Every structure is written in C-alpha cells, then in structure tokens.
Amino acid sequence: MLTSICGINWGDEGKGKMVDLFSEDYDIVCRYQGGNNAGHTVINERGKFILNLLPSGILRENVVNVLGMGMVIDIRHLTEEIAHLREKGVKISPENLKISDRAEITMPYHVLMDCLEEERLADKKFGSTRRGIAPAYADRFMKKSFRMGELLYPEVLREKVKEIVAWKNLTVARGYGAQPISEEETLDYLLSYGEALKPYICDVGLYLTGAAKAGKNILFEAQLGALRDIDYGILPYTSSSLTLAAYAPLGAGVPNLRLDKSIGIMKAYSTCVGEGPFTAEYFGEKAEALRKAGGEFGAATGRPRRVGPFDAVASAYGIRCQGADELVLTKLDILSIYEEIEVCTAYELDGKRLHDFPYPDLLDRCKPVFEKVKGWHTDISKCRKKEQLPQAALDYIAYIEDLCACKITYVAVGPERDAVIRMDG
Ligand code: GDP
C-alpha cells in the first residue's frame, strides 16, 4: 500500500500527528519535498517533538524513514535535529534513516540570500521562513547546487566548491553588496557537517522499489498544504516546492511507483502563516479568540498565524489539487468555543458569487460569504467514538463533507495521539 498524507489548506493542518498515528500500519515513512521550513508537531507518550526535517515516523521504532530527492536539506539543522532526538532517547541509525543521494543541500548562503531578498522587498516581502528554501531550489534548477551524494566524494566536492562560490559571489557580493562567501569556509562546512551524515546517504529509489516489491507499506508525508504549492498555490506566497500528493513518488525517488491512496488533512477552521491573500480572514477580537483557542503560533518560527473560519472554496480546490480520496478533519475541538459557527461558503467578486477557487490574482478583490451553523459549545476533546459527539458536531461534519464533496473518515479532537475519532467504522 502506497499512501500519501497531504495538506488541503495553507499548511499546519496537523499532518505530523496523523502521520505519527497512521505510521503504526506502515513500514516506511518518506518526506518528499521541502526542507526545515516544515514544523510537524507530534505528541506521544515520550513527550512533545517538533520535527523539521525528519519524517514523523522517526518516533516509531520499527519504521524506516526516508528523506527523498525532492527535498532541500540543511545539513547543520539535520545534524542538530538528530542529536536533539537522540538526547530524548530516540534511536537513529542507517537502519531506520535513509537520505537520498540526490537531495539538495541547503547552504548557509541560501539562508543569507533568503534574508537579503526579503529585506530588499521590504513591505512587499513574500513572508519567507528565511530558511533558504527558495534560493536552494532556484540553484537546483540552475544546476548549481550541492547534492547529498557529493558528500561521499570529497574530490568532486572540492572542484565544485570553487566554481559555485565564484558564481554565487556575483549575486551575494556584487549584486546585494554583502560580504563575499569564502571558498574555504564553504568546503569546511560541507566536509564537517557531511561527515556524520555519510552512513545514511544512499540511492533511496532503489531501496523503496525493493521495499514496495516485497509488499511493504509506504507512507509519503507532505509538508505544507495545497495552497502553498509553487505551481498550484497562491503565487508568490507559496513554498518553492511541490506540496501535492501527485509529486510524492517523484520527490521520494520512485517515479516508477503509483500511489494507492491520497489522504487529505484538513483543518476545521482556516489558518495561514505569512503574507498574501487570505479571503476568509478574521481580524481584531474575533481573530484573537480563535488564535488563542487553537494555539495558532508557527511550530517552526513561532509567528502568530492568521486565522479565519473554515473556507469551503479554498478547501474544495485543495481537495481537487491533492486528489484526496478521503479527509481527516482536525482541531474540531477548538470550535467548541462557539455557540454559532461561521463557515465561508463562497467568495463574492464584482457582485458575483464564486464557488470555484479563482485565479490567484483575483483573490485580493474577493470578499468572503459567511454562513452560520449551530455550534455544540461543549468540550468534545475526550470523545473517542462517533456516538459520543454531540449532534451539532455530527451535523457540522456532514455539512463540511457536503460542501467539499469528499468523505471525512477521521476527526481529530486534541493534540494527543489517541484524540482521534473514526467516522466510517
Ligand atoms: P503540521 O505542520 O500539519 O504537522 O501541523 P502543526 O504541527 O504545525 O500544527 C498542528 C498543531 O495542532 C500541533 O500543535 C498539534 O499538536 C496540534 N493538533 C493536531 N491535531 C489537533 C486536534 O485535533 N486538536 C487540537 N487541539 N490540536 C491538534
């Protein structure tokens, strides 16, 4: 079974928790895009973990974790993340962690360029996480990047460093007027952080193909959501990677394999970190109340998230982009604060009602159309069975299913691993 877990909205839907839960039935968990701009929060019996680069399956002993070729990997961050997990008793070895030799390395100069560009853009900034993701992907397409596999061949690396540093300084030093990058420091950085990672680097495509042939179950863990996809999202307020399920086999390193299932993780209300149009946004006290109830502050950056009610227009688009076969509705417990719950059911553009997500450039002119449904206004965080949910909560779930034309198979009602209700069982 090859399954993808992906985000339907702007990210932060609670994918980490669901991957952690579902990984019980999987042998391998694979990240296939993005880098350490991800912040997946997992809470289990061993404590709270925030994972930026490592797949959420790393917290299960029998799961093999793969960092796929579609990723951009900050090797210093990865080294620190591994050390931090080890301190908390998580076992990490080449047996349970495999890193694609074709994945790109995010360099310190990528982080620098990310910051320089956001500062240059000033009030027109893209809202980057400033972790070097966009510059790293840009270099990949310029064919001027370092790949993980090169860490195994220092002679190749030495030659390449000379060329890349000279080229990079044309932009860093001559373009932005920043301090030039040093050839020696770049090589030292790669060799020193690369050393400890060498045993994990391999052809993960070969490994995954063999595993699939042997009948192993593989879970592909996406980062961010459909609306942050570089091609299908709200450009330029997107990530620089492909966040869609369709990219999972390619980004993991197995273009020869097909997904069996795409599970979309969708939040019971909307959140968005950073800049860009966010049609159903709440402001003022209304926003403050929802943000506080949901603890909506970025796991990777600590930034307060923008919040709003469930957006059926954007979510239906996200479901289509992700080709979701089924949905998990997360954080339903947070809506317990309301006696009446608002839902954005349409957008209004120049006096016309839109139900289909428009071309992104039109979003600035779209106004949300809110409808109200009855709330349950009671704590549901201890519910573990469908029958324990109040009728108003069941009605809300059915209403969302109807708006999105997709089945909700699980509902999450708390951050803990077991705070999940199966809806189709
Ligand atoms: P991800 O990037 O999609 O993995 O999402 P994040 O980890 O950034 O955000 C999800 C946050 O919500 C984490 O702090 C989770 O522990 C928490 N969480 C996940 N599901 C639920 C839920 O159903 N209810 C509540 N209250 N918290 C949840």
Side-chain angles (χ1 to χ4, degrees), residues 12-17 39-41 43 299 305 330-331 333-334 412-415:
D12 308 314
E13 297 93 347
K15 294 177 294 296
K17 169 194 150 129
H40 294 163
T41 316
I43 300 173
R305 293 174 182 151
T330 58
K331 298 196 104 168
D333 53 307
I334 304 305
V413 292

Side-chain angles (χ1 to χ4, degrees), residues 34-52:
N36 56 317
N37 50 339
H40 294 163
T41 316
V42 179
I43 300 173
N44 59 26
E45 66 284 351
R46 287 198 278 179
K48 180 173 174 176
F49 299 87
I50 294 178
L51 303 167
N52 299 129

Side-chain angles (χ1 to χ4, degrees), residues 204-216:
V204 301
L206 193 63
Y207 166 72
L208 290 171
T209 302
K213 236 185 214 165
K216 302 272 185 210

Side-chain angles (χ1 to χ4, degrees), residues 166-196:
W167 174 73
K168 207 77 243 176
N169 276 332
L170 295 177
T171 347
V172 171
R174 293 216 217 159
Y176 286 103
Q179 194 73 356
I181 300 160
S182 135
E183 211 178 285
E184 203 182 307
E185 279 174 27
T186 303
L187 184 64
D188 270 3
Y189 179 87
L190 286 164
L191 294 179
S192 57
Y193 283 104
E195 191 56 36

Side-chain angles (χ1 to χ4, degrees), residues 135-148:
Y137 276 115
D139 283 3
R140 169 193 193 134
F141 286 100
M142 290 294 284
K143 296 166 284 182
K144 293 217 169 48
S145 59
F146 296 106
R147 295 220 227 183
M148 293 300 292

Side-chain angles (χ1 to χ4, degrees), residues 268-282:
Y269 54 95
S270 306
T271 60
C272 159
V273 179
E275 314 298 318
F278 183 45
T279 309
E281 184 164 10
Y282 277 165

